[in-house]
Amino acid sequence: MDERESGKKPEADLQSRLLANITHELKTPLHSILAAANLLHNQIDGPLNDEQRRQVEMILRNGEQLLEQITELLNYSSNASGTYRLIISEFDPRALFNGIFAVMAPVAARTSVTLETDFSSLGPKFSSDRALIQRIVSNLVSNALKFTPAGGKVSSHARSTSSGGIRFDVVDTGIGIPSEFQKAIFQDFFQVEAGDARRFGGVGLGLALVKTAVANLSGKIEVKSEPGKGSIFSVELPALVPPERDVLVAGRDAGLRLTLEECLRTQHLRGTFVETAKQLFEAVAQKQPELIIIDLFEADGQRESGFEILTAVRAAQWGKELPVIVMSALGGATERSKAFGAGASDFIVKPFDVAELVARINGQLQK
Ligand code: ADP
């Protein structure tokens, strides 16, 4: 995991923050409206007649469309304000691409557009900001579907490149983009068919968002298009290597150590393993860790318990703010409240699922 501030655009900062606040304020009541409409639609409080059902469906359809547009504005404002922090992790790109297209399949089916994908040339691992890539691909595919009439085709092919990056394209047989607009479509709010007569939904921010996201990921995007024939959006993204960050682990269980070593490695975290408070204090001085994991082992001989180590960390000046994840074989309320009372930031019960531990570690590192 790595978090980097993306390039700042000071002049856009205030405006984007304002936009972010407004869109956030709009989203909250809209969620309540949609929740109420969903309750009505599911006839929880009694049956609806056909006309009422039709009206509720209209509220839902338009509300969801509005929510999508507000979400787009919100994403755009967080990108444009330069406050977006890259979160770099290693993931399976095939799973990511397949997931995005699985969500889009019903949209394609509804509009009678054929969806074709080939992700077999993607390697099993890629390191970058997963959420940003998802945003890029989703925007390109939803545009392709939006601008392709019934009977057309949208296809996507992705592959790993020889330099360790990925390259993918989103190809459609839709309306195409006149060459004089192929640059402008990436500008904020630009739409080829502007004005009240627009046939297509959207606010004209999707591609601006895509462009910023691609730039934040140090990638490149190109468009080739011919009116009446279709468009090809091609994106190339390099693998981003996160700098290693240090994590200290206090534990005395060899099996647990092996699991943790593997788990930290996949997250580009450098684990240092210690068994006593003294070793932990020495390691802190050398490594400046960003996270401490403490197994709540019992005291043995001269060596203190995991709980005593937790207390010692929180008593130290440097340990007041550090995130500390505590592990224990006991998951009961007593053990948890004792751990949280002593200053644990998070708690995980052994044996744990590695994915859960990774999520908890990342959750702590993002704070
Ligand atoms: P929106 O889709 O909300 O209008 P975008 O920023 O995503 O905004 O796209 C800007 C404009 O670029 C669109 O309004 C449309 O005119 C054009 N465009 C984008 N993708 C395509 C496509 N695949 N085919 C044809 N036109 C497109």
Side-chain angles (χ1 to χ4, degrees):
M1 284 282 268
D2 175 28
E3 296 176 15
R4 295 174 199 170
E5 287 268 0
S6 55
K8 280 201 185 290
K9 279 195 216 162
E11 76 281 4
D13 198 38
L14 188 65
Q15 208 179 356
S16 308
R17 259 184 296 154
L18 190 69
L19 195 61
N21 286 340
I22 296 171
T23 45
H24 186 76
E25 293 303 315
L26 291 174
K27 239 177 141 169
T28 314
L30 187 55
H31 273 298
S32 309
I33 293 170
L34 284 172
N38 260 314
L39 282 177
L40 277 175
H41 191 236
N42 290 322
Q43 313 195 38
I44 305 283
D45 294 312
L48 300 177
N49 64 34
D50 286 350
E51 180 58 16
Q52 288 166 328
R53 208 171 38 240
R54 210 184 51 73
Q55 290 163 350
V56 172
E57 277 164 7
M58 193 172 76
I59 298 176
L60 275 174
R61 216 175 23 252
N62 285 287
E64 275 157 13
Q65 200 180 340
L66 190 56
L67 187 62
E68 231 168 71
Q69 296 183 348
I70 293 174
T71 305
E72 195 168 306
L73 275 169
L74 198 60
N75 288 339
Y76 165 79
S77 61
S78 83
N79 245 5
S81 68
T83 52
Y84 187 83
R85 285 170 151 266
L86 287 185
I87 299 177
I88 300 174
S89 64
E90 197 172 78
F91 56 89
D92 173 0
R94 269 178 295 197
L96 175 66
F97 276 83
N98 281 322
I100 298 168
F101 280 86
V103 172
M104 296 294 179
V107 183
R110 209 164 43 232
T111 54
S112 306
V113 171
T114 309
L115 201 55
E116 260 181 30
T117 57
D118 179 6
F119 306 131
S120 57
S121 308
L122 274 176
K125 283 180 182 167
F126 188 58
S127 172
S128 184
D129 188 317
R130 199 176 186 281
L132 272 197
I133 298 181
Q134 170 149 18
R135 199 179 280 178
I136 295 168
V137 181
S138 304
N139 265 295
L140 293 178
V141 181
S142 65
N143 272 350
L145 288 172
K146 185 160 72 178
F147 295 107
T148 301
K153 189 166 94 176
V154 169
S155 55
S156 179
H157 169 245
R159 64 177 171 86
S160 298
T161 65
S162 53
S163 54
I166 55 176
R167 194 178 160 83
F168 63 89
D169 52 30
V170 176
V171 182
D172 66 62
T173 60
I175 61 170
I177 304 156
S179 56
E180 66 270 31
F181 297 133
Q182 288 176 15
K183 263 213 169 84
I185 51 170
F186 291 97
Q187 289 168 12
D188 300 352
F189 301 109
F190 183 89
Q191 297 179 308
V192 171
E193 236 183 76
D196 293 341
R198 290 189 75 241
R199 286 175 286 157
F200 312 98
V203 285
L205 283 177
L207 286 179
L209 192 69
V210 165
K211 187 182 167 196
T212 316
V214 169
N216 282 341
L217 296 176
S218 310
K220 280 188 294 211
I221 181 161
E222 267 173 20
V223 57
K224 286 196 186 109
S225 185
E226 215 177 305
K229 289 230 164 107
S231 310
I232 304 177
F233 285 84
S234 310
V235 178
E236 185 157 355
L237 300 172
L240 300 177
V241 183
E244 289 207 321
R245 302 160 85 185
D246 280 297
V247 174
L248 291 191
V249 183
R252 291 178 195 153
D253 171 344
L256 177 69
R257 177 176 174 153
L258 279 181
T259 313
L260 281 173
E261 268 171 349
E262 173 62 12
C263 167
L264 294 175
R265 205 179 45 74
T266 62
Q267 301 305 302
H268 296 276
L269 296 166
R270 195 163 37 206
T272 301
F273 293 79
V274 297
E275 297 193 352
T276 63
K278 181 168 181 282
Q279 288 171 356
L280 184 125
F281 275 58
E282 283 166 2
V284 165
Q286 284 171 11
K287 308 270 177 187
Q288 279 109 43
E290 294 184 40
L291 172 73
I292 295 183
I293 298 175
I294 301 176
D295 185 15
L296 288 190
F297 43 75
E298 297 293 325
D300 63 13
Q302 298 292 75
R303 303 190 300 178
E304 46 305 82
S305 67
F307 190 76
E308 285 163 336
I309 294 185
L310 170 63
T311 311
V313 165
R314 285 301 186 222
Q317 195 52 40
W318 51 260
K320 302 231 180 303
E321 302 286 326
L322 258 184
V324 179
I325 298 178
V326 164
M327 302 183 154
S328 171
L330 306 172
T334 320
E335 185 85 344
R336 280 173 193 269
S337 50
K338 202 172 145 198
F340 283 116
S345 320
D346 200 357
F347 187 97
I348 187 161
V349 185
K350 293 187 298 183
F352 49 80
D353 179 45
V354 171
E356 183 190 347
L357 178 64
V358 165
R360 289 185 187 274
I361 289 174
N362 289 336
Q364 289 302 319
L365 287 172
Q366 273 165 48
K367 281 183 182 159

